[in-house]
Amino acid sequence: AQVARFSNILLAPHLVVLQVEGTILAMTTKPKLTYFPVFAKGPPAALALELGGIDWEGEFPGSWAEMKPTTPFLELPVLDIPGIGMIGTEAAILNYIGTLSPEMGGATPAEFLVSQQLLAHAEDIYQKLALTKRGLFDEEKAKSFWTNKDTTTHNKDFGVFAYLTTFEAFYTKCGVGNGNFTTSGKTVGECKLWAMLHCCVMIQPECLEDFGGLKLFYNRFLAMEETKKLLESGLRFPGPFKQYFLA
């Protein structure tokens, strides 16, 4: 008896071709994003998948204790990609989405670099919020993150004002206008930045008042149907994401 030989060929993030002894059968599948039901590292990827026009599904972990050992780095988010498997880290997931279209990755090398800088610098805000969440900032230092306006200090001591100041200057430097950092206005870096700004706005609703470009960017994203659905229902996740970071 002959043993059938199988091979998978990835044609697109939602299409895997199963080849059996030379006979090709097409099967449609979907990438699956898994994350906790909190507004932290999952929403940027969910928003990027949706804005990128990808047919995807979202899932909250049923038993994190059981799932954790199966993930690449013992953390979420993870993205299961047909024909590739499970990939970990938010940055890798976002950058994978960015490879699927110029609108998401950047239409030119210059715009790719704009997106990447936004992604990396927005993560700095996340890390500061996470330190407060984990109780690693004392009360005074946690408070100073929202009140300190010194932009001359070492960046380890930056408050939100310093981060917003640098993003505002970068917005002006990009010169696109209309609340966009890039021509598409929805690269993976912009998705990450919007999500981190939203984390800040949930804590301090007036934090963008002195930053006209950033406020325009934030409100433009907020008005998009995909963003509304993200906040209202979690898009393709079973439910919405709850606020995670507090002052």
Side-chain angles (χ1 to χ4, degrees):
Q2 291 185 335
V3 178
R5 287 174 293 178
F6 297 81
S7 61
N8 287 340
I9 305 171
L10 180 68
L11 296 183
H14 59 282
L15 179 62
V16 172
V17 170
L18 175 65
Q19 182 172 280
V20 184
E21 292 290 354
T23 300
I24 295 179
L25 305 172
M27 303 185 302
T28 57
T29 55
K30 300 178 182 180
K32 180 174 68 175
L33 180 65
T34 303
Y35 193 62
F36 306 108
V38 295
F39 204 100
K41 281 186 173 283
L47 190 54
L49 285 164
E50 197 71 15
L51 290 173
I54 308 302
D55 188 15
W56 62 284
E57 59 182 316
E59 181 177 271
F60 298 142
S63 171
W64 174 231
E66 294 179 6
M67 183 182 182
K68 185 174 182 177
T70 72
T71 64
F73 304 107
L74 307 179
E75 63 182 17
L76 297 180
V78 293
L79 183 68
D80 284 289
I81 306 172
I84 294 178
M86 181 186 289
I87 66 169
T89 80
E90 179 195 30
I93 292 168
L94 287 171
N95 278 315
Y96 166 71
I97 298 168
T99 67
L100 302 180
S101 72
E103 285 190 335
M104 300 309 298
T108 65
E111 289 201 341
F112 166 77
L113 292 171
V114 167
S115 176
Q116 290 298 299
Q117 289 175 87
L118 293 175
L119 196 163
H121 199 42
E123 175 64 12
D124 289 346
I125 294 180
Y126 177 91
Q127 292 300 326
K128 288 290 181 69
L129 293 174
L131 288 172
T132 301
K133 176 71 177 181
R134 291 156 56 197
L136 298 180
F137 276 172
D138 59 31
E139 184 178 349
E140 182 179 350
K141 195 169 182 65
K143 182 180 179 180
S144 73
F145 179 72
W146 297 100
T147 58
N148 178 22
K149 293 189 175 184
D150 186 2
T151 59
T152 64
T153 186
H154 192 286
N155 60 8
K156 70 179 178 62
D157 297 318
F158 276 0
V160 70
F161 180 88
Y163 288 114
L164 298 181
T165 297
T166 55
F167 278 122
E168 182 75 14
F170 193 57
Y171 172 82
T172 301
K173 180 181 178 182
C174 289
V176 180
N178 298 317
N180 289 23
F181 284 85
T182 66
T183 51
S184 78
K186 60 179 185 179
T187 59
V188 294
E190 285 163 294
C191 291
K192 170 69 172 180
L193 173 59
W194 181 84
M196 293 304 97
L197 292 179
H198 187 63
C199 287
C200 293
V201 168
M202 284 192 286
I203 300 169
Q204 295 285 347
E206 306 301 319
C207 67
L208 299 180
E209 286 303 311
D210 295 331
F211 304 95
L214 275 185
K215 186 176 180 180
L216 186 62
F217 165 78
Y218 174 81
N219 287 335
R220 178 182 63 79
F221 246 85
L222 188 64
M224 295 193 295
E225 287 303 314
E226 294 87 351
T227 309
K228 291 178 182 178
K229 291 178 181 178
L230 173 74
L231 297 176
E232 293 169 2
S233 66
L235 285 170
R236 307 193 193 200
F237 277 88
F241 297 98
K242 301 175 183 177
Q243 182 175 352
Y244 183 61
F245 296 115
L246 303 171

